[in-house]
Amino acid sequence: MEELVVMDHKDTRSGFGDGLTELGRTNKDVVALCADLTGSLKMGDFKKENPDRFVQVGIAEANMIGIAAGLTIGGKIPFTGTFANFSTGRVYDQIRQSVAYSKKNVKICASHAGLTLGEDGATHQILEDIGLMKMLPNMTVISPCDYNQTKAATIAIAEHEGPVYLRFGRPKVPNFTPADEKFEIGKAQMIREGKHVTIIATGHLVWKAIEASTVLLEKGINPEIINIHTIKPLDEKAVIESISKTKCVVTAEEHMRHGGLGDSIAQLLAEKLPTPMEMVAVNDTFGESGKPDELMTKYGIDTPDIIAAVERVLQRI
Amino acid sequence: MEIKELERLSTQVRRDIIRMVSAVKSGHPGGSMGCADFLSTLYFRVLDIDPSNFTMDGKNEDLFFLSNGHISPVLYSILSRRGYFPTEELNTFRKIDSRLQGHPSVSKNLPGVRVASGSLGQGMSVAIGAAITKKLNGDDKIVYSLHGDGELQEGQIWEAAMFAAGKGIDNLICTIDYNHKQIDGDIDDVLPMGSLKEKWQAFGWEVLEMDGHDFNDIIAKLDLAKSKCGNGKPVIIIMKTVMGEGVDFMSGTHEWHGKSPSDEQTEIALSQLEETLGDY
């Protein structure tokens, strides 16, 4: 990516909704299910255009996951939509047995992930979902960074055979990846090449890493930024290549330290390339009510936290 | 298949169950034996299926989902005797590398199984999903499922019950194995459930009652259930059974829910079950 241009500010959930609408027009096997959050998930257009292929299940997420598993028998491609908390923690056993272990072609689409859903507070701010989903055999875990990428990912996972967890969020954030960029599952995205440190980010933290890079460059630190939109399977080759060059790494995510992207990178590096590493993530605590920006700051996953982590890791080389 | 043959088949299936469980000294014989008559009738007289050409999608075939997966021995015996896989494979039940997992699994592509079950309460939702897909595909075949009575204590069942009636899923016939027993004892001691008939009626289902050990009644009620399909309501059959039916010391008690008979007990049990179709 040569030059980053912020086209507009959009929510990633709208990327999902618009991707789903497009799928409704192009892939007649796609069926959407929702547990009483059609508006929040931006599934209204799909519902309007495809009433026969939209299943409103009501507030019954366990049933939704089971129905989705059953829909695959006969060739449908179900996309379930609810908040990330209700898409994972609430229905873990249903996903484990009826979807992952049973190798069903279900796409679990999860909005309002992380702290940035804001004022609803900790009951809804799941920070463990990536960990829960990546531990499941057969599961692909995707966490795109902006509207365009979320839309492209939504379209791409329909073509991928097997269970997928797609994570996105509520707030409007900079939309900077090209609208026509094809989404390649499992492929790391180089955001900017650098040499002093590798910043590996996912989801909303990719833009925070870009913000951090402008400050770091002023300080004479030239960071390489990699967007890991597919947390599982991890593009190990891209990660190892970058870190072999920079010799140190910072990970950044809107997720718990335990079980998140940083955890995956740490595991990879411990086995294949032990390297000084710092993690920007929520540290073993629940969130709370507040504005998204306030929460990012309070829980240590904002731009200054990335800058500080880079400065710390550079001292460890 | 006529009733005389179904009786002989069910006896052999019960022998298979005892031998499978006894061979590995683990598994769930009680509920398996209680459902042998029903599943024999379903698979050999009712279901429109093609065992020699099993596909996961099962398009234009009836589908069956076992939600109470712990009674896998009866399912495996029936599937093998119906031709989904060789009966010799029953020898591998619960052994390392087997396709016949303790609870049904698709992980090793066992023909006849379309979803894993074992963690209770999930199969009705899956059956509903498959029934919706049949409607979307213009496929007029029927989806069947079987559930334990204790399994009805799982909340997901009632989510599914509310949905199927509310959305008019009328190509679905679910059956409850109502033997009044669960692992810890009688249902009324563990968690009384009141009138199942009234509960399902209140949820908006077509409710039938059936004697799970009377072949005439099983055949009649399955015919009746089929005739009720397409009327805007899902159908549920409350099937009265006896856990452990077929062997005197195993029948009517929860003691054999998840326990294997000893070698001595196995011998006695098999002496009460004639080898009608040849052991595997």
Side-chain angles (χ1 to χ4, degrees):
Chain A
M1 197 173 292
E2 288 302 308
E3 198 169 328
L4 292 170
V5 180
V6 177
M7 289 157 270
D8 44 16
H9 285 66
K10 281 184 166 180
D11 45 355
T12 51
R13 60 178 167 158
S14 286
F16 163 69
D18 291 347
L20 189 66
T21 303
E22 189 167 320
L23 279 174
R25 294 170 189 158
T26 56
N27 190 333
K28 296 299 171 198
D29 285 328
V30 168
V31 177
L33 302 91
C34 189
D36 198 31
L37 287 169
T38 310
S40 296
L41 270 285
K42 306 292 182 189
M43 298 169 88
D45 287 345
F46 182 95
K47 177 187 175 184
K48 202 168 131 194
E49 293 183 13
N50 314 279
D52 294 347
R53 289 189 282 138
F54 181 79
V55 184
Q56 170 61 269
V57 297
I59 310 164
E61 294 82 6
N63 190 39
M64 177 167 73
I65 296 297
I67 291 176
L71 277 163
T72 65
I73 298 166
K76 297 302 168 203
I77 308 170
F79 282 61
T80 66
T82 183
F83 290 168
N85 188 23
F86 313 140
S87 294
T88 57
R90 189 177 181 94
V91 291
Y92 196 67
D93 189 46
Q94 283 76 19
I95 295 175
R96 181 175 182 274
Q97 175 171 287
S98 293
V99 177
Y101 183 45
S102 291
K103 296 189 267 192
K104 296 302 180 212
N105 194 23
V106 174
K107 315 305 170 187
I108 300 159
C109 303
S111 185
H112 294 53
L115 292 173
T116 52
L117 78 82
E119 292 80 353
D120 278 348
T123 53
H124 289 51
Q125 290 162 341
I126 194 161
L127 293 162
E128 312 93 73
D129 55 323
I130 290 173
L132 288 170
M133 290 298 109
K134 81 178 187 184
M135 277 197 294
L136 289 171
N138 300 331
M139 185 65 74
T140 294
V141 179
I142 296 178
S143 161
C145 65
D146 68 0
Y147 167 91
N148 282 340
Q149 192 161 75
T150 307
K151 183 178 175 186
T154 303
I155 293 164
I157 62 176
E159 298 295 323
H160 171 88
E161 178 74 28
V164 173
Y165 179 62
L166 179 66
R167 180 195 216 233
F168 42 91
R170 176 172 184 263
K172 287 191 165 71
V173 293
N175 185 31
F176 59 94
T177 61
D180 57 353
E181 193 168 71
K182 194 172 172 341
F183 187 88
E184 287 186 66
I185 295 170
K187 190 146 171 42
Q189 183 185 25
M190 180 66 75
I191 299 290
R192 82 177 296 280
E193 291 188 22
K195 57 182 178 183
H196 297 132
V197 58
T198 302
I199 304 175
I200 299 179
T202 192
H204 292 146
L205 268 289
V206 175
W207 181 254
K208 299 283 182 191
I210 293 165
E211 282 183 344
S213 70
T214 57
V215 178
L216 290 168
L217 283 166
E218 285 167 13
K219 296 181 181 220
I221 301 165
N222 181 8
E224 182 144 300
I225 302 177
I226 294 176
N227 170 20
I228 295 290
H229 54 57
T230 307
I231 289 165
K232 184 186 173 189
L234 183 66
D235 188 347
E236 298 188 359
K237 188 167 166 281
V239 171
I240 293 286
E241 265 178 24
S242 173
I243 294 170
S244 301
K245 181 175 69 178
T246 61
K247 314 289 189 209
C248 64
V249 59
V250 167
T251 58
E253 62 196 305
E254 189 182 348
H255 190 272
M256 207 67 84
R257 283 166 67 98
H258 311 296
L261 168 67
D263 165 294
S264 290
I265 300 294
Q267 200 172 107
L268 170 68
L269 296 181
E271 287 177 351
K272 296 194 177 160
L273 184 68
T275 303
M277 172 175 172
E278 294 284 332
M279 289 164 70
V280 175
V282 177
N283 191 9
D284 200 22
T285 180
F286 289 105
E288 64 180 293
S289 293
K291 290 181 184 148
D293 287 348
E294 294 170 339
L295 292 163
M296 299 288 269
T297 302
K298 177 163 179 177
Y299 289 89
I301 55 172
D302 207 348
T303 307
D305 302 294
I306 299 175
I307 296 165
V310 166
E311 288 172 337
R312 282 199 307 276
V313 84
L314 284 169
Q315 286 173 10
R316 291 172 54 194
I317 305 180
Chain B
M1 187 179 272
E2 295 307 311
I3 289 179
K4 272 269 173 271
E5 289 171 278
L6 287 171
E7 283 170 349
R8 286 165 57 79
L9 170 67
S10 297
T11 305
Q12 185 65 50
V13 166
R14 289 189 168 93
R15 275 185 75 86
D16 290 350
I17 294 165
I18 296 288
R19 294 180 68 238
M20 287 164 73
V21 170
S22 183
V24 288
K25 290 289 177 282
S26 78
H28 298 77
S32 293
M33 290 163 73
C35 291
D37 300 331
F38 167 66
L39 286 174
S40 296
T41 311
L42 189 69
Y43 268 88
F44 283 79
R45 186 168 167 128
V46 177
L47 292 181
D48 184 356
I49 47 178
D50 182 6
S52 61
N53 183 32
F54 174 76
T55 64
M56 181 54 78
D57 281 343
K59 286 184 178 170
N60 302 309
E61 284 187 68
D62 289 334
L63 301 179
F64 171 76
F65 294 99
L66 181 71
S67 188
N68 48 336
H70 57 276
I71 68 165
S72 59
V74 66
L75 179 69
Y76 295 151
S77 168
I78 295 273
L79 289 177
S80 70
R81 293 201 175 268
R82 188 70 178 82
Y84 280 95
F85 54 85
T87 53
E88 296 75 50
E89 203 167 339
L90 297 177
N91 272 311
T92 70
F93 174 63
R94 283 185 172 240
K95 291 178 184 164
I96 194 79
D97 295 331
S98 174
R99 297 196 292 180
L100 278 55
Q101 291 293 294
H103 295 80
S105 163
V106 303
S107 62
K108 298 181 184 188
N109 302 317
L110 181 69
V113 177
R114 291 190 170 87
V115 74
S117 58
S119 177
L120 293 171
Q122 299 186 27
M124 191 174 288
S125 304
V126 175
I128 289 168
I132 294 172
T133 287
K134 286 215 175 286
K135 282 176 180 273
L136 288 170
N137 287 344
D139 174 344
D140 64 0
K141 292 296 186 289
I142 292 171
V143 178
Y144 294 81
S145 64
L146 177 61
H147 311 265
D149 47 6
E151 186 182 6
L152 302 183
Q153 291 159 3
E154 292 281 6
Q156 188 180 347
I157 290 282
W158 301 100
E159 293 183 5
M162 198 182 295
F163 179 94
K167 305 280 178 171
I169 309 299
D170 59 4
N171 53 346
L172 176 69
I173 300 174
C174 304
T175 298
I176 306 297
D177 176 20
Y178 197 20
N179 58 24
H180 295 263
K181 300 279 184 288
Q182 56 191 112
I183 300 183
D184 273 359
D186 279 13
I187 277 187
D188 285 340
D189 293 331
V190 177
L191 177 61
M193 291 193 286
S195 167
L196 290 189
K197 186 179 177 184
E198 287 172 18
K199 279 190 167 62
W200 288 95
Q201 280 173 339
F203 270 76
W205 287 56
E206 189 72 56
V207 184
L208 306 179
E209 291 177 293
M210 180 172 93
D211 181 341
H213 301 307
D214 176 344
F215 285 103
N216 283 305
D217 198 39
I218 296 172
I219 291 166
K221 293 294 161 53
L222 285 172
D223 280 349
L224 182 61
K226 210 170 161 180
S227 75
K228 299 275 188 191
C229 287
N231 292 336
K233 288 166 92 171
V235 180
I236 193 143
I237 303 172
I238 299 171
M239 173 173 74
K240 292 188 180 112
T241 64
V242 176
M243 186 178 265
E245 170 79 4
V247 171
D248 57 10
F249 66 90
M250 296 176 82
S251 128
T253 165
H254 70 275
E255 296 298 328
W256 300 93
H257 170 95
K259 194 175 85 174
S260 163
S262 67
D263 288 344
E264 222 171 48
Q265 289 165 328
T266 298
E267 213 168 294
I268 298 166
L270 292 177
S271 75
Q272 298 175 21
L273 299 165
E274 187 193 347
E275 183 182 343
T276 53
L277 303 176
D279 286 339
Y280 62 81

